């Protein structure tokens, strides 16, 4: 059984077991599939959803990795196998909508409306109740949503509101008004401006005989609409109210002239002539933007405790995150239920002035309540007693803004029900024993655009949507920054939004551009930074050195502190919202905070201190990577090659901390960025050494873009150092990635440059390796004779067999097999297998078995090939060499095709293409496409099969792989031979030209097929 739940969060159930879904972005990919079942979801759609405006250069490989991981999760259970399929460049979730809770909800809602239209009201009510019971919470609750998922969340929430209102209407018509009231009250608490729900509630109260409740509901509706929109309730609400108070015929627009006056007069009416409430809340924004989930949670906390005690709501977040705005908005929402007073005080916990002590704060708050100054005692404990006694007699909302620490709040806590205390702070108040805090994250793109529109004008933002999105991104989705950017536009009506976006993108950093008058983002950040102790300041400054996420060990190395000390400093920065803790105990700075931190680093520490900190970080990265990759390097003395020296922090790089290859996987992005950081700081020894150490991990996991990035920097550093061995190594490993991505000519250039360096030296091993690698380039380029000659030249020196497996063995075997010299190829591959067993090298063992199986397939020994490939794949999984697995799976598919097990063959080809696609191995992609297309033709799927072959032909042409071009042409010719002999002849003649030039055995079969067509092309040659 497969089921996906998207309401109230995201869950995948396979065989009744809830699956782990990986990173937040991988969860977003699954969500996109789940909300588009049966439809092809393209990589472009996924990239737009996950990154919106500025996808990283690794976006497409990352998308493929996420999708491949999800496919493996589905395929690990029989029920899920084949549920997620790759189709061309996109993905399709083959799952019935009945297996996805949101679609069941919508289907039931729509079915109920059809039942109502047919007059079956009782059945409709049952169906609606079932639908609403399916609702476990908002769509994908707790996830960060991009534009598509955000739009779907809004649409589905509207669907839910309509369903709840429809059910309430049915219950009213059925004489069950009492059942409708609780659900309508909950709905209104979540959506206070929804007049249709308020009208239904008033109708329900009327049917239930609760006239007082109806009148109260009217006043609450009027206050909410006045406060938020400045309008009167609609005619339906007015009519119900007037009927209830016996004033039918009163004009609906009649009322007090202002919201404040309205609030005063309505409170007077509700309290039979009592005094107006004390409203000390500052003027809030005209239209509150975003944060719907935060508001819902805070109001929900009040509902949970308001009958039993006072609610204390804590909102924390970094400077500029909108804490005060949110608190005031929630206070306004609560005001109709807490009518006696709405109080506010800025406790100045973060600013130029001294924080307000509780004694002074209590005096201000008591005066706001209307207590005469002469009645307020001088002693703190007596003021606390009076404060709590006054609150016990009222229903009050209190906003304590800008709190420094818990000590400011504790004396102000109420002791009896009837009060809501809203606390905002830039630091986490961990020792305040109340409910969970609401920690504000940055806004979403949609929220940021709405906020920018509010400041700069809707028409200006709508006229330049891409520029507006760039402004929001450059403001790092921080509300204060967006408001300041919008204010700049508002005060410059002739300036284009694109001009501001360009200004924010230019140097100096955008934080210096975000100011209006005395309001600046830098000043807001300074208020958080200046009060902290110097060790924490130094940590905050140095964290700006690196843009990615830090582990605790990286921070300890950066700061040159014991690990425990680094943890304490990080906890302090996180508590003060000067740093963020992400998943897995990792840390980073918000983008704008990092700009501010960087400016403080340059002012306080200087370039030399910065360079020394980067050196410590790179030294840690080098030794930690050596430790993590030691299993990958077991057969190679990489430590001897790079000569790293003793680690400066052995306490951070031991095997008890660095968890092997998985550590490299977790830190991959960080490590590549550190190579760039080292190059920028002129630490050239670290740059080439770290690149060299990382190569095998990048290579076996298929991260070829990472190789190109790091090793180009490594080559430049090695040249600046004049380090010959390092230059040769960087050339060689650059070539490895260029070969895998199809850039043969450039790979050959790098290898020839390296060979020239070593030809005049006695480093015979390095020279042999380079010639062997050049052999591979020639093999893939179709120069098979040259590939064989280079391979034999590399193997001529018997010293190669001393303590490692010669790389030239598999390369020579592949070239011989391509020429159809089967016996020689088998002999070389067996020698490879023997050497791998002798050296106990599982990586080479897996490759040797796969290459032997490929030869067996070429000579028709399919069953023996399957046995060899099963063993090879087990070893590939054990060693984690993904690119080898792609090749082996494709060969297994060819073997199954030879055994007429076509469905099994198709699955293996698809799996091979997926693996090759994820790793960026374009040669393996070509082979998989050609064999998949051939298998599909054999299955009778002519249209799709020919399309796949055309994809293979196009890709082979782009990467200059003549052999795969020829194979694609020959397979397409077989397809055309059924319907179009002229087109078949054209394709076979093109394939024959390629195969003859290469000297491969496939030319014989093509010549025979051309002869069968009656052509004279064979004689012409």
């Amino acid at each position: 059984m497969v089921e996906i739940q998207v309401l109230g969060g995201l869950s995948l159930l396979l065989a009744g077991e809830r699956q782990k879904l990986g990173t937040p972005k991988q969860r977003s990919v699954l969500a996109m599939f789940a909300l588009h079942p049966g439809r092809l979801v393209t990589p472009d759609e996924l990239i737009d959803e996950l990154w919106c405006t500025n996808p990283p250069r690794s976006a497409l490989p990352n998308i493929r990795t996420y999708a491949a991981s999800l496919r493996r999760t589905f395929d690990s259970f029989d029920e899920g196998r084949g549920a997620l399929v790759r189709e061309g460049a996109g993905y399709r979730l083959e799952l019935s909508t009945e297996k996805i809770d949101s679609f069941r909800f919508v289907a039931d809602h729509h079915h109920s409306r059809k039942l109502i239209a047919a007059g079956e009201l009782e059945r409709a009510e049952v169906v609606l109740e079932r639908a609403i019971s399916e609702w476990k919470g908002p769509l994908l609750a707790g996830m960060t949503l991009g534009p598509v998922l955000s739009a779907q969340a809004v649409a589905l929430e509207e669907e839910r509101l309509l369903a709840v209102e429809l059910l309430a209407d049915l219950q009213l018509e059925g004489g069950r008004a009492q059942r409708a009231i609780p659900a309508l009250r909950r709905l209104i608490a979540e959506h206070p401006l929804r007049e249709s729900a308020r009208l239904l509630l008033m109708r329900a109260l009327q049917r239930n005989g609760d006239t007082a409740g109806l009148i109260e509901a009217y006043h609450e509706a009027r206050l909410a609409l006045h406060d938020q929109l400045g309008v009167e309730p609609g005619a339906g609400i007015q009519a119900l109210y007037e009927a209830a108070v016996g004033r039918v015929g009163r004009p609906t627009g009649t009322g007090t002239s202002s919201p404040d006056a309205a609030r005063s007069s309505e409170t007077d009416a509700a309290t039979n002539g009592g005094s107006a409430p004390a409203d000390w809340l500052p003027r809030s924004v005209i239209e509150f933007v975003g944060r719907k989930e935060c508001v819902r949670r805070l109001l929900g906390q009040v509902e949970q405790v308001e009958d039993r005690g006072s609610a204390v709501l804590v909102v924390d977040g970094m400077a500029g995150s909108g804490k005060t705005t949110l608190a005031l908005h929630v206070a306004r929402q609560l005001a109709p239920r807490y009518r006696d007073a709405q109080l506010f005080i800025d406790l100045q916990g973060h600013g130029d002035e001294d924080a307000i002590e509780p004694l002074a704060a209590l005096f201000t708050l008591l005066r706001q309540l209307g207590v005469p100054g002469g009645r307020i005692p001088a002693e703190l404990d007596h003021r606390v007693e009076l404060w709590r006694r006054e609150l016990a007699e009222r229903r009050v909302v209190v906003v304590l803004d800008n709190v420094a620490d818990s000590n400011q709040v504790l004396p102000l806590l109420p002791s009896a029900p009837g009060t809501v205390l809203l606390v905002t702070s830039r630091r986490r108040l961990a020792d305040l024993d109340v409910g969970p805090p609401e920690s504000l994250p940055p806004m979403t793109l949609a929220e940021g655009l709405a906020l920018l529109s509010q400041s700069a004008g809707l028409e200006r933002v709508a006229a330049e949507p891409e520029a507006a999105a760039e402004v929001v991104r450059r403001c790092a989705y921080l509300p204060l920054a967006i408001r300041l950017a919008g204010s700049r536009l508002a005060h410059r009506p002739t300036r284009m939004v694109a001009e501001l976006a360009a200004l924010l993108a230019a140097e100096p950093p955008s934080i210096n551009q975000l100011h209006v008058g005395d309001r600046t983002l830098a000043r807001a950040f300074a208020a958080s930074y200046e009060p902290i102790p110097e060790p924490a300041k130094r940590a905050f400054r140095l964290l700006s050195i690196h843009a990615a996420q830090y582990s605790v060990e990286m921070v300890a190395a950066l700061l040159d502190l014991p690990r425990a000390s680094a943890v304490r400093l990080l906890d302090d920065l996180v508590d003060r919202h000067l740093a963020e803790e992400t998943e897995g105990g990792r840390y980073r700075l918000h983008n704008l905070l990092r700009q501010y931190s960087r400016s403080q680093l340059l002012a306080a520490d200087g370039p030399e201190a910065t360079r020394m900190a980067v050196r410590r970080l790179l030294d840690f990265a080098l030794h930690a990577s050596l430790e993590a990759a030691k299993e990958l390097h077991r057969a190679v003395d990489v430590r001897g090659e790079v000569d790293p020296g003793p680690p400066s922090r052995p306490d951070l790089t031991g095997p008890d901390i660095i968890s092997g290859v998985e550590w490299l996987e977790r830190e991959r992005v960080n490590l590549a960025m550190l190579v760039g950081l080292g190059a920028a700081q002129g630490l050239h020894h670290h740059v080439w050494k770290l690149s060299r150490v990382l190569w095998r991990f990048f290579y076996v996991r298929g991260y070829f873009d990472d190789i190109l990035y790091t090793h180009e920097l490594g080559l430049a550093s090695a040249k600046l150092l004049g380090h010959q061995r390092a230059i040769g190594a960087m050339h060689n490993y650059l070539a490895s990635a260029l070969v895998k991505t199809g850039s043969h000519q450039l790979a050959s250039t790098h290898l020839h440059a390296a060979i020239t360096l070593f030809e005049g030296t006695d480093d015979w091993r390095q020279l042999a390796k380079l010639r062997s690698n050049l052999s591979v380039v020639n093999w893939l380029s179709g120069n098979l004779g040259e590939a064989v000659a280079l391979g034999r030249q590399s193997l001529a020196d018997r010293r190669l067999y001393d303590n490692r497996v010669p790389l030239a063995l598999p390369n020579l075997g592949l070239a011989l097999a391509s020429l159809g010299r089967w016996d020689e190829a088998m002999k070389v591959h067996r020698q490879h297998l023997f050497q791998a067993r002798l050296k106990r090298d599982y990586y080479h063992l897996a490759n040797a078995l796969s290459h032997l199986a490929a030869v067996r397939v070429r000579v028709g020994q399919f069953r023996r090939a399957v046995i060899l490939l099963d063993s090879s794949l087990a070893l590939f999984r054990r060693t984690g060499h993904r690119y080898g697995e792609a090749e082996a799976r494709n060969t297994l598919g060819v073997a199954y095709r030879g055994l007429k097990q076509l469905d099994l063959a198709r699955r293996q080809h698809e799996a091979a293409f997926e693996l090759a696609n994820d790793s960026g191995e374009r040669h393996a992609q070509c082979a998989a496409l050609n064999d998949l297309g051939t298998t599909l033709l054999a299955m009778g799927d002519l249209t799709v099969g020919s399309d796949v072959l055309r994809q293979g032909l196009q890709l082979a042409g782009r990467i200059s792989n003549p052999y795969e071009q020829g194979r694609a042409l020959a397979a397409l010719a077989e397809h055309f031979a059924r319907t179009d002999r002229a087109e078949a002849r054209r394709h076979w003649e093109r394939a024959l030209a390629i195969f003859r030039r290469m000297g491969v055995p496939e030319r014989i079969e093509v010549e025979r097929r051309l002869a069968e067509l009656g052509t004279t092309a064979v004689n012409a040659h």
Side-chain angles (χ1 to χ4, degrees):
M1 174 185 172
V2 180
E3 185 177 359
I4 300 179
Q5 298 170 351
V6 294
L7 297 176
L10 178 66
S11 298
L12 170 63
L13 286 84
L14 295 171
E17 296 180 16
R18 197 175 300 274
Q19 304 300 307
K20 293 182 179 179
L21 298 179
T23 65
K25 282 190 166 48
Q26 183 165 300
R27 294 169 66 86
S28 295
V29 170
L30 176 59
M32 283 289 285
F33 296 153
L35 291 172
H36 301 89
R39 180 173 84 72
L40 191 69
V41 180
T42 66
D44 286 344
E45 290 177 287
L46 293 170
I47 289 170
D48 288 344
E49 177 63 21
L50 268 62
W51 288 281
C52 295
T53 58
N54 190 30
R57 60 189 180 89
S58 60
L60 185 56
N62 287 347
I63 288 292
R64 291 167 178 162
T65 300
Y66 301 146
S69 177
L70 290 170
R71 284 187 66 186
R72 286 192 292 271
T73 299
F74 278 103
D75 291 346
S76 61
F77 289 79
D78 290 338
E79 297 89 340
R81 188 166 292 118
L84 183 60
V85 297
R86 179 68 180 268
E87 199 169 305
Y91 304 85
R92 189 189 305 276
L93 180 64
E94 298 289 3
L95 192 64
S96 167
T97 55
E98 295 176 356
K99 303 295 184 182
I100 304 169
D101 55 0
S102 64
F103 287 91
R104 292 197 300 270
F105 172 84
V106 172
D108 280 342
H109 178 209
H110 292 180
H111 181 46
S112 70
R113 291 189 176 275
K114 291 180 181 178
L115 290 171
I116 292 170
E120 299 181 50
L121 302 186
E122 290 185 3
R123 283 187 62 198
E125 187 172 340
V126 170
V127 172
L128 267 177
E129 286 178 338
R130 181 177 68 198
I132 292 169
S133 69
E134 185 85 43
W135 189 273
K136 300 298 188 295
L139 182 74
L140 305 171
M143 292 175 58
T144 300
L145 307 183
V148 173
L149 295 180
S150 294
Q152 295 205 357
V154 172
L156 199 60
E157 174 66 7
E158 180 63 22
E159 190 94 26
R160 178 183 76 93
L161 299 179
L162 291 171
V164 172
E165 290 173 348
L166 182 59
L167 177 59
D169 200 30
L170 287 173
Q171 290 168 338
L172 289 178
E173 294 301 320
R176 293 178 294 281
Q178 195 167 7
R179 292 185 61 186
I181 291 171
L184 288 169
R185 288 196 185 279
R186 287 193 296 271
L187 190 153
I188 290 167
E190 296 168 2
H191 300 273
L193 303 182
R194 195 169 180 89
E195 287 194 72
S196 55
R198 289 191 179 275
L199 178 59
L200 280 167
L201 175 61
M202 291 175 66
R203 285 176 54 203
L205 292 167
Q206 182 190 53
R207 297 280 180 93
N208 206 37
D210 188 356
T211 303
L214 185 154
I215 292 172
E216 184 179 13
Y218 168 79
H219 285 298
E220 289 177 354
R222 191 162 182 268
L223 280 172
L225 293 167
H226 245 312
D227 276 351
Q228 297 300 311
L229 303 177
V231 299
E232 292 287 334
I237 291 177
Q238 294 279 10
L240 275 177
Y241 168 70
E242 290 165 357
V245 298
R247 286 182 291 165
V248 178
R250 175 181 173 182
T252 58
T254 302
T256 50
S257 60
S258 70
D260 288 336
R263 184 182 299 112
S264 176
S265 64
E266 288 161 4
T267 305
D268 289 346
T271 57
N272 295 318
S275 62
D279 185 352
W280 292 87
L281 297 180
R283 176 181 175 273
S284 56
V285 295
I286 298 172
E287 183 179 349
F288 184 76
V289 172
R291 308 294 194 195
K292 289 183 179 179
E293 283 300 305
C294 298
V295 173
R296 183 185 62 78
R297 284 191 293 268
L298 290 168
L299 293 175
Q301 288 183 49
V302 175
E303 288 184 1
Q304 289 175 12
V305 303
E306 63 182 344
D307 295 332
R308 298 178 284 107
S310 292
V312 181
L313 312 178
V314 178
V315 179
D316 59 40
M318 65 180 286
S321 57
K323 302 178 294 297
T324 302
T325 303
L326 174 65
L328 291 174
H329 176 70
V330 172
R332 291 290 184 198
Q333 296 280 300
L334 292 169
R337 288 151 56 190
Y338 293 82
R339 302 182 177 194
D340 293 326
Q342 296 88 47
L343 313 183
F344 176 90
I345 185 170
D346 180 356
L347 293 175
Q348 299 176 10
H350 306 281
D352 298 332
E353 302 177 28
D354 293 336
I356 294 177
E357 296 294 330
L359 186 70
L362 282 168
F363 184 87
T364 300
L365 291 168
L366 285 165
R367 292 291 293 121
Q368 288 182 7
L369 273 179
V371 177
R375 283 188 51 213
I376 301 174
E379 299 83 2
L380 176 62
D381 54 345
H382 292 168
R383 283 189 186 179
V384 170
E385 181 184 354
L386 177 61
W387 166 247
R388 289 174 176 168
R389 192 167 62 245
E390 291 289 335
L391 289 182
E393 299 173 359
R394 297 173 170 86
R395 290 180 63 79
V396 178
V397 176
V398 184
V399 178
L400 304 179
D401 192 37
N402 207 8
V403 168
D405 54 40
S406 299
N407 292 329
Q408 275 189 303
V409 178
L410 289 171
L412 309 182
L413 294 178
S415 58
T419 300
V420 176
L421 205 64
L422 280 153
V423 180
T424 75
S425 179
R426 293 189 186 183
R427 66 178 302 170
R428 291 192 169 125
L429 306 178
D431 50 348
L432 194 62
D433 188 17
V434 295
E438 188 69 41
S439 294
L440 292 189
M443 284 186 147
T444 65
L445 176 62
E447 290 173 335
L449 288 171
L451 186 59
L452 186 66
S453 298
Q454 192 182 81
S455 303
L458 183 61
E459 290 183 1
R460 290 178 76 181
V461 170
E464 298 179 76
E466 293 182 4
E470 178 66 8
V471 167
V472 171
R473 190 183 71 79
R474 290 288 175 181
C475 290
Y477 308 98
L478 191 67
L480 176 58
I482 296 169
R483 284 192 184 280
L484 291 173
S487 294
R488 283 180 67 92
L489 287 172
H491 288 86
R492 295 163 177 81
T494 61
R495 178 168 293 180
M496 302 289 289
V497 180
E499 292 180 58
L500 178 59
L503 187 66
L504 295 178
E507 293 292 339
S510 56
I511 187 172
N512 297 326
Q513 308 296 338
L514 295 172
H515 64 86
V516 174
D518 292 335
R519 294 183 70 201
T520 71
L521 196 60
R523 176 175 292 182
F525 289 162
S528 295
Y529 168 76
E530 292 298 343
I532 64 177
E534 179 53 36
K537 283 184 176 178
R538 175 175 177 267
F540 175 67
R541 294 194 302 266
L542 288 178
L543 285 174
S544 69
I545 283 174
H546 186 31
Q549 298 183 20
Y550 292 89
S551 65
V552 171
E553 291 75 25
M554 289 176 70
V555 176
L558 177 72
L559 303 180
D560 197 21
L561 289 174
R563 190 180 188 280
S565 300
V567 169
R568 283 194 295 271
L569 287 173
L570 285 167
D571 283 345
D572 191 24
L573 292 176
V574 169
D575 285 345
R576 296 173 184 273
H577 288 282
L578 287 170
E580 300 174 82
E581 184 174 6
T582 62
E583 291 183 83
R586 301 169 71 75
Y587 300 86
R588 68 182 178 194
L589 298 184
H590 183 276
N591 286 351
L592 291 177
L593 266 176
R594 183 170 179 265
Q595 290 184 23
Y596 174 77
S597 172
R598 185 73 175 168
S599 68
Q600 298 304 306
L601 175 71
L602 295 174
D605 299 271
E608 186 55 33
T610 302
R611 192 169 187 272
M612 291 301 296
V614 175
R615 182 189 291 276
R616 292 193 296 270
L617 198 54
L618 285 170
D619 185 76
F620 162 79
L622 179 60
H623 285 90
S625 297
L626 278 165
E627 173 63 35
K630 64 183 179 183
E631 183 61 29
L632 292 175
H633 295 148
R634 194 163 57 85
V636 182
D637 183 19
V638 174
R639 188 175 289 274
E641 284 186 44
V642 300
D643 187 22
S648 59
R649 294 298 302 272
D651 57 316
L652 302 177
T653 56
D656 55 328
I657 297 176
I658 306 302
S659 56
V661 176
E662 288 313 306
W663 183 88
L664 291 169
E665 185 67 59
R666 189 168 60 252
E667 300 291 348
R668 175 175 71 89
V669 175
N670 263 335
L671 293 167
M673 292 179 70
L674 283 174
V675 172
L677 182 62
Q681 289 290 330
L683 298 169
H684 301 302
H685 286 287
H686 286 86
V687 170
W688 82 261
K689 289 178 180 182
L690 184 56
S691 299
R692 170 65 188 95
V693 170
L694 294 172
W695 173 78
R696 181 163 290 280
F697 164 71
F698 287 155
Y699 191 75
V700 301
R701 292 293 173 101
Y703 299 131
F704 303 122
D705 283 348
D706 288 334
I707 294 176
L708 294 173
Y709 173 71
T710 57
H711 286 65
E712 283 171 357
L713 292 172
L715 178 59
S717 288
K719 287 180 175 178
L720 286 169
L721 294 168
H723 194 309
Q724 182 170 304
R725 285 188 58 82
I727 294 170
M730 294 299 102
H731 276 305
N732 180 46
Y733 296 120
L734 272 171
S736 73
L738 290 165
V739 166
K740 288 295 182 181
T741 54
S743 300
H744 301 152
Q745 186 59 49
L746 192 52
S748 178
T749 300
H750 278 288
L751 287 170
H752 278 295
I755 289 170
T756 301
L757 277 174
F758 285 98
E759 277 181 333
T761 70
D762 60 354
D763 195 341
W764 51 270
R765 187 184 299 281
Q766 187 71 11
L767 203 54
K769 180 168 69 174
L770 292 167
R771 285 173 176 155
S772 174
N773 291 341
L774 189 57
S775 170
V776 174
V777 177
N778 279 283
W779 168 58
L780 290 170
S781 301
N783 304 320
L784 300 181
E786 183 67 16
V788 170
L790 282 165
R792 294 203 184 282
Q793 185 181 6
S794 297
L795 291 169
D797 194 332
R798 304 307 297 176
R799 291 177 294 180
L800 282 173
Y801 297 85
D802 53 358
N803 63 352
R804 64 188 73 175
V805 179
L807 292 174
L809 278 171
N811 298 342
L812 175 60
L814 290 169
L816 289 167
S818 294
L819 286 166
R821 293 155 66 172
W822 315 123
D823 290 341
E824 293 177 77
M826 290 288 282
K827 181 178 178 181
V828 171
H829 287 320
R830 287 194 185 104
Q831 177 67 10
H832 183 204
L833 183 64
F834 171 76
Q835 291 290 330
R837 284 175 173 168
L838 193 66
K839 307 299 189 296
R840 302 185 70 176
D841 188 319
Y842 295 113
Y843 160 63
H844 278 286
L845 198 60
N847 266 327
L849 289 168
S850 176
H851 294 156
L852 279 167
V855 178
R856 295 285 185 193
V857 166
R858 297 290 291 273
V859 298
Q861 298 173 2
F862 303 120
R863 295 193 184 280
R864 295 183 67 179
V866 170
I867 295 170
L868 291 170
L869 288 164
D870 284 341
S871 300
S872 174
L873 287 168
L875 287 169
F876 279 129
R877 285 191 293 272
R878 175 175 175 178
T879 58
H881 290 67
R882 292 163 57 188
Y883 68 91
E885 184 179 350
E887 180 183 296
R889 286 200 178 278
N890 194 53
T891 304
L892 183 58
V894 179
Y896 281 137
R897 186 169 73 227
L899 294 170
K900 308 302 181 186
Q901 299 179 38
L902 299 181
D903 192 56
L904 286 176
R906 176 185 58 80
R907 292 184 190 178
Q908 292 299 329
H909 296 318
E910 288 175 342
F913 179 74
E914 188 75 31
L915 286 165
N917 220 16
D918 289 343
S919 63
E921 265 196 295
R922 300 169 81 185
H923 297 290
Q925 289 175 39
C926 278
L929 286 170
N930 283 339
D931 284 311
L932 175 60
T934 302
T935 297
L936 289 170
L937 291 181
M939 296 174 75
D941 195 344
L942 305 183
T943 302
V944 177
S946 59
D947 285 345
V948 170
L949 286 169
R950 288 188 185 94
Q951 290 179 45
L953 177 61
Q954 185 180 33
L955 180 57
R958 284 205 306 269
I959 64 173
S960 301
N961 188 322
Y963 180 64
E964 294 301 337
Q965 281 181 284
R967 290 184 65 217
L969 288 164
L972 283 168
E974 288 288 352
H975 167 62
F976 286 122
R978 299 178 176 90
T979 57
D980 190 335
R981 292 167 64 87
E983 194 66 15
R985 179 183 295 113
R986 189 174 71 84
H987 280 74
W988 266 320
E989 286 176 345
R990 290 175 62 195
L992 181 58
I994 292 171
F995 290 153
R996 279 181 165 163
R997 186 168 61 251
M998 294 180 66
V1000 296
E1002 284 83 355
R1003 69 185 187 280
I1004 299 170
E1005 176 63 17
V1006 174
E1007 288 172 347
R1008 184 184 69 79
R1009 297 294 281 139
L1010 278 169
E1012 288 177 358
L1013 285 178
T1015 181
T1016 59
V1018 175
N1019 296 329
H1021 291 282

